[in-house]
Amino acid sequence: MRKSRLIAGIATAVVAASTLAACGSGSGSGADADTLTFMFRGGDAEKAAYQDAIDRFTEDTGVKVKVIVTDADQYATKLQAAVAGNKVPDVFYVEQGSLQSYVSSGVLMDITDQVADQGVDLDNVWPYGVDSYRFDGTVQGTPDGQLYALPKDVGPMALGYNKTMLEKAGVELPDADEPMTREQWLKILKKVTKDTDGDGKTDQWGTGLNVNWTLPSFVWSNGGDWTNEDHTQVTVDSPEFADALQFFADLTTKEKVTPNTEQSATLDTYQRFMEGQIAFFPVGPWDVSTYNDLDFDYDLMPWPTGATGEPATYIGSLGIGVSNTTALPEDAVKLATYLSTDEGAQQTLVDANIQIPNRIDTAEKWADAKDSEPANRQEFLDIVQDYGRAMPAAYTFSPQWYDELFVDIQPVLDGKKTAADYLAEVQPRMQELLDQTNEQAEQAAAAGAAG
């Protein structure tokens, strides 16, 4: 997981630079003393939407904003360099997994009181989004913690399906409210996996899932998890976890309803879904602007269920934080709250089809809109309200322990090793790294207190 490894690099750099960040002073990286700098990442649609929202903010408040935008792959590296050089932007995107390191090192401002003073109705913002950026010095994600950022968004990972393909195959469309069991889902995957042009080679598949991002759905729904509740013990070597991982691997090696490694190397499954070659594929809100232009109809459904009988998936998020060294703290907090909670700003971002609304009332109207694409937008809200969870490493100081699961997982996915055997091997390595992560958190907290 490239993103997680970049976050790990940030954590290390932030700890090393804690005295510099916490005890130094600065005013962001803007050229003008009266201009805020806002650093974020995104594609063309997100860049355009944010520029429109910021232009409106400047028009309404008179506060000038210099925008610093990067591609997703460059963002972590550039922000890390800004932190190390004590040139932190006034306002910037914050990953859930880097929050603790930024708080401990004094990079992020505690904005709890400032947000309250602005009269922001946080009860009308998804609790998952707000609480993701609360930290009490020990536990992240607790409603009782201090607020160090506001949600840029919440990102529920839904399961989408090629409606056109299923209808052509004579398959009953998934129920929007009643999830399938994974056995029921597998029957459909087998039915739509076929050779459509008669050359003896499969060219249409049931699904094609990335293990890093979709394994959590199968594990959680099967009653397994990565750690205990306080993130001190790795729990991947359980029968529930092994069964879920084996099911995932068998989709390729035994059931052959997903492209194998060689086929995916020719054309990855994301591209194959967009080409109409795959029936079921994950859909995040950020995908909607692209998927709405595909040559087939698609929609969303609940994730299939394992032993618990309940669907599960993850909710991602980005936060918008304020530098602890900004020379314009009042204006910086205004910008963060505006982008996160202002009704007009939220509508601009939602109209660009890059996220669901942060505001609950706006989100409910958005989901109920007639002739919407996808039709079952409500599924995104159901995930946020009901069955979505944070990724396993979202609330730990470093994600290295989590990444370790995927380093040598390929033999399982290729059918050369059982899931149970692999998990028994990898659990001790993950535990060692988790212990180190928790030690890092304690050291960072101590260094921050000393600074």
Side-chain angles (χ1 to χ4, degrees):
M1 294 177 64
R2 180 185 300 175
K3 184 167 78 170
S4 289
R5 295 191 182 281
L6 288 173
I7 294 170
I10 288 177
T12 302
V14 169
V15 172
S18 62
T19 302
L20 174 66
C23 303
S25 61
S27 57
S29 55
D32 302 320
D34 61 346
T35 300
L36 289 174
T37 52
F38 172 50
M39 184 173 177
F40 73 106
R41 70 185 198 207
D44 291 341
E46 189 159 355
K47 293 174 187 177
Y50 265 88
Q51 189 62 61
D52 286 347
I54 288 170
D55 288 346
R56 189 174 298 111
F57 172 79
T58 297
E59 182 178 341
D60 291 346
T61 65
V63 178
K64 293 182 289 185
V65 181
K66 177 183 176 182
V67 173
I68 305 168
V69 60
T70 77
D71 294 334
D73 288 345
Q74 298 174 327
Y75 182 81
T77 302
K78 291 192 173 183
L79 184 57
Q80 178 182 342
V83 171
N86 202 26
K87 295 183 179 179
V88 185
D90 297 296
V91 183
F92 57 98
Y93 276 4
V94 181
E95 300 270 8
Q96 289 171 298
S98 61
L99 184 84
Q100 293 184 39
S101 60
Y102 285 146
V103 171
S104 298
S105 60
V107 172
L108 279 171
M109 178 188 296
D110 177 351
I111 60 174
T112 309
D113 293 339
Q114 293 91 330
V115 171
D117 289 344
Q118 290 193 32
V120 177
D121 182 11
L122 292 183
D123 289 337
N124 192 33
V125 180
W126 297 114
Y128 174 86
V130 177
D131 292 346
S132 288
Y133 305 99
R134 292 189 185 276
F135 183 51
D136 65 6
T138 302
V139 179
Q140 182 180 343
T142 171
D144 298 326
Q146 296 297 105
L147 190 62
Y148 288 94
L150 287 167
K152 172 262 178 189
D153 64 3
V154 291
M157 180 60 81
L159 184 60
Y161 63 92
N162 182 326
K163 183 179 178 182
T164 302
M165 183 190 295
L166 296 189
E167 290 175 334
K168 184 177 180 180
V171 173
E172 183 179 353
L173 297 180
D175 192 299
D177 300 313
E178 186 67 27
M180 301 179 192
T181 66
R182 67 186 194 186
E183 290 77 19
Q184 291 170 328
W185 184 56
L186 181 57
K187 288 181 181 179
I188 298 175
L189 300 184
K190 290 180 177 180
K191 186 170 183 177
V192 298
T193 299
K194 60 181 66 177
D195 166 19
T196 63
D197 57 16
D199 65 356
K201 296 180 180 178
T202 301
D203 55 16
Q204 178 176 291
W205 290 267
T207 189
L209 305 176
N210 179 292
V211 67
N212 301 70
W213 300 107
T214 56
L215 181 61
S217 173
F218 296 98
V219 171
W220 290 331
S221 181
N222 210 43
D225 210 338
W226 269 254
T227 71
N228 60 354
E229 189 172 351
D230 64 0
H231 307 301
T232 58
Q233 295 294 321
V234 174
T235 58
V236 301
D237 57 338
S238 70
E240 295 82 5
F241 199 114
D243 179 70
L245 176 55
Q246 194 64 60
F247 174 81
F248 185 96
D250 286 350
L251 292 176
T252 304
T253 60
K254 179 181 176 182
E255 309 297 350
K256 303 187 186 304
V257 294
T258 184
N260 60 30
T261 302
E262 182 179 351
Q263 292 162 334
S264 296
T266 303
L267 187 68
D268 67 37
T269 53
Y270 173 73
Q271 294 294 331
R272 288 189 187 277
F273 177 72
M274 293 198 294
E275 292 291 330
Q277 299 176 13
I278 285 177
F280 296 87
F281 199 75
V283 180
W286 52 88
D287 293 315
V288 169
S289 61
T290 298
Y291 287 0
N292 283 358
D293 291 332
L294 296 175
D295 293 332
F296 57 85
D297 293 331
Y298 80 102
D299 208 352
L300 308 180
M301 58 178 281
W303 282 85
T305 64
T308 68
E310 299 293 335
T313 187
Y314 83 88
I315 315 174
S317 180
L318 279 171
I320 301 177
V322 174
S323 169
N324 209 22
T325 56
T326 179
L328 303 167
E330 183 177 348
D331 290 340
V333 175
K334 281 183 181 178
L335 178 60
T337 56
Y338 178 84
L339 294 175
S340 177
T341 68
D342 179 81
E343 187 172 6
Q346 282 291 295
Q347 195 62 54
T348 297
L349 302 177
V350 170
D351 288 345
N353 283 321
I354 58 175
Q355 68 180 70
I356 69 170
N358 281 336
R359 295 169 56 99
I360 296 173
D361 56 358
T362 305
E364 290 172 345
K365 294 177 182 177
W366 171 83
D368 288 339
K370 294 182 179 179
D371 301 322
S372 62
E373 291 185 276
N376 184 25
R377 287 178 173 178
Q378 181 62 40
E379 192 63 33
F380 283 136
L381 306 195
D382 289 347
I383 292 170
V384 179
Q385 292 173 311
D386 184 19
Y387 71 88
R389 307 188 193 183
M391 285 292 273
Y395 296 159
T396 59
F397 191 80
S398 165
Q400 288 177 305
W401 67 272
Y402 174 72
D403 286 347
E404 185 65 25
L405 178 70
F406 303 103
V407 172
D408 294 318
I409 202 171
Q410 196 60 45
V412 179
L413 305 181
D414 292 338
K416 298 177 181 178
K417 182 179 290 188
T418 68
D421 285 347
Y422 177 67
L423 294 171
E425 293 173 8
V426 77
Q427 191 275 342
R429 300 200 301 271
M430 294 178 69
Q431 184 64 56
E432 182 179 0
L433 290 170
L434 181 60
D435 291 342
Q436 293 174 8
T437 291
N438 290 332
E439 289 175 7
Q440 281 182 314
E442 293 176 3
Q443 292 168 2

